[in-house]
Amino acid sequence: MKQPGKKSMKVLIIEAASGTPSRLWTVFADPRHYHNPDSLYRIDHVVSATRGEQAAEVFHKLHPDLVVIDLDHGGEEGLQFCRDIRTGEKDRHTGFVFFSQEVQNDDRVFEQVLNHGGDDFIDGKSSDREFVARVNSVFRFKAMTDRLRSVNHRLKMLSLTDELTGLSNMRAFNIDYQKLVKGCRQGDYGLGVIMLDLDHFKKINDSANHLVGSFVIGEVGRLIAHSGVLGKDAVAARYGGDEYIVCVPSQSVSAVWEIAERIQDLIMRSVFKKEQYTIKLTGSFGMCWVDPGFEGKSDDLIKGADVMLYRSKRNGRNMVSGMILRYPVDFNHIGRPHLIDRDTCRDHHYIPRLHNA
């Protein structure tokens, strides 16, 4: 019977096959596991398996909270099983308790259990009451460890996320960006960077207030993240203020240009309402592309997108300007060998470069 407020636990017992209930099975059938009013846990499921492939199969199907291993039958294999599971754990902790009816008062075995990642070793001289108490202690440790991992994961996500938009912050972006650049250098794909900012955004802060401005920045970030425009491998971040950056791995420069135009259209068609204010706005975009096998400086790709962004702003805003990064390049005077538009980017074909930066 389920008890409200108690955490549900699943147990896997790994022991030799037997026609009669083992001591381990008998202990876990003890009503104290289920009806102890002072316990924060309840055991909802107990499964027994023999060692080897069957144990691994049951483990990955059941995802138990506690594994109890009988050391008297296949001890080395059980220790290795514990080490393998412990090594692969990321988001949750599995409690591991080892038991031996034969071994008593042997510190070397206890040390071996701990060195293989076990949480406790219980020998045959222990009473059922002590067994239950020590198992509950492992449950408590497991629950605390899971909570700590969950908190650490949330803190990590917060440290890598822009609070206002929910997009990556630049710290997280730079980590992912360098990984994408590495793949591009290896020739796996071409790489495009899109930079955009919101046109005449200062007027929103001046005519409304900064809270409304922050709301708009956040909503545009959510449009970029959740509209489905970006592919699963693209990385988007808030660059700062009302400026955003997107990195897209692709085999086609035209696909990256299309993403820029779709984001442009999303912003242009959106109406942002906050308090008594109704706001419509546009965005200016810069895009820079490099072919697979790029050997230049990773910062130059971002620099090129930034130069193109300011080209869009100079030429009237609410537009996409783009370039293909080839060396030699003068970022202060980007000319015809580099510039592309909607039509010419569709005709672009990858041509191996003969020199690098």
Side-chain angles (χ1 to χ4, degrees), residues 8-300:
S8 172
M9 293 287 181
K10 293 179 288 187
V11 178
L12 169 62
I13 300 173
I14 301 177
E15 59 184 350
S18 174
T20 58
S22 66
R23 184 184 175 194
L24 291 178
W25 189 267
T26 302
V27 166
F28 281 99
D30 193 314
R32 284 174 292 180
H33 280 303
Y34 306 89
H35 304 301
N36 181 358
D38 298 323
S39 174
L40 298 176
Y41 318 101
R42 67 173 186 271
I43 297 176
D44 279 354
H45 207 47
V46 181
V47 174
S48 179
T50 57
R51 61 184 183 272
E53 292 183 2
Q54 185 197 14
E57 182 180 346
V58 173
F59 179 90
H60 292 295
K61 183 178 180 179
L62 180 67
H63 300 293
D65 301 286
L66 175 71
V67 178
V68 183
I69 299 177
D70 186 350
L71 270 180
D72 296 335
H73 302 278
E76 286 299 325
E77 192 173 357
L79 289 167
Q80 188 59 48
F81 178 81
C82 174
R83 173 172 283 175
D84 292 343
I85 296 298
R86 188 70 81 220
T87 301
E89 284 185 324
K90 294 180 180 179
D91 300 328
R92 70 192 299 269
H93 178 87
T94 303
F96 273 92
V97 173
F98 288 82
F99 172 78
S100 173
Q101 189 68 43
E102 300 172 0
V103 177
Q104 297 187 16
N105 297 320
D106 192 332
D107 291 340
R108 292 172 301 176
V109 175
F110 199 1
E111 180 181 358
Q112 196 176 21
V113 164
L114 295 179
N115 287 338
H116 281 78
D119 294 294
D120 200 358
F121 169 64
I122 303 174
D123 62 30
K125 67 180 176 54
S126 303
S127 67
D128 286 358
R129 183 182 294 274
E130 179 182 347
F131 200 116
V132 170
R134 289 169 69 171
V135 164
N136 280 336
S137 177
V138 173
F139 277 153
R140 285 194 295 273
F141 179 75
K142 179 258 188 313
M144 287 188 295
T145 302
D146 284 350
R147 284 198 297 270
L148 181 60
R149 290 186 181 187
S150 177
V151 169
N152 285 339
H153 178 73
R154 288 198 297 270
L155 289 175
K156 181 181 179 181
M157 290 301 99
L158 287 173
S159 73
L160 298 175
T161 303
D162 175 68
E163 183 178 4
L164 195 58
T165 63
L167 297 173
S168 297
N169 59 24
M170 287 306 297
R171 176 188 173 197
F173 177 85
N174 286 328
I175 294 171
D176 292 331
Y177 176 65
Q178 293 304 326
K179 293 177 183 177
L180 291 175
V181 169
K182 182 179 179 180
C184 179
R185 293 193 195 285
Q186 293 171 345
D188 297 339
Y189 43 72
L191 204 59
V193 168
I194 301 167
M195 293 191 70
L196 65 133
D197 75 0
L198 305 180
D199 295 333
H200 305 296
F201 182 76
K202 187 175 182 297
K203 291 182 179 179
I204 297 174
N205 285 333
D206 292 344
S207 60
N209 56 59
H210 286 276
L211 289 177
V212 174
S214 294
F215 168 77
V216 171
I217 289 173
E219 289 299 294
V220 171
R222 281 179 276 279
L223 274 179
I224 295 171
H226 303 300
S227 63
V229 169
L230 303 182
K232 63 181 179 66
D233 297 321
V235 180
R238 183 183 178 199
Y239 196 74
D242 60 309
E243 200 165 357
Y244 309 81
I245 185 168
V246 179
C247 184
V248 184
S250 175
Q251 297 298 335
S252 164
V253 60
S254 61
V256 182
W257 187 283
E258 183 179 347
I259 287 174
E261 287 192 331
R262 290 179 66 187
I263 297 173
Q264 178 193 19
D265 186 59
L266 276 172
I267 294 172
M268 195 162 42
R269 289 190 290 107
S270 296
V271 178
F272 305 98
K273 294 184 178 182
K274 177 72 171 176
E275 300 171 2
Q276 71 269 33
Y277 301 99
T278 298
I279 297 166
K280 287 184 66 67
L281 72 163
T282 58
S284 295
F285 293 73
M287 190 215 72
C288 184
W289 165 268
V290 291
D291 290 313
F294 174 65
E295 297 175 351
K297 299 175 183 177
S298 59
D299 288 349
D300 282 351

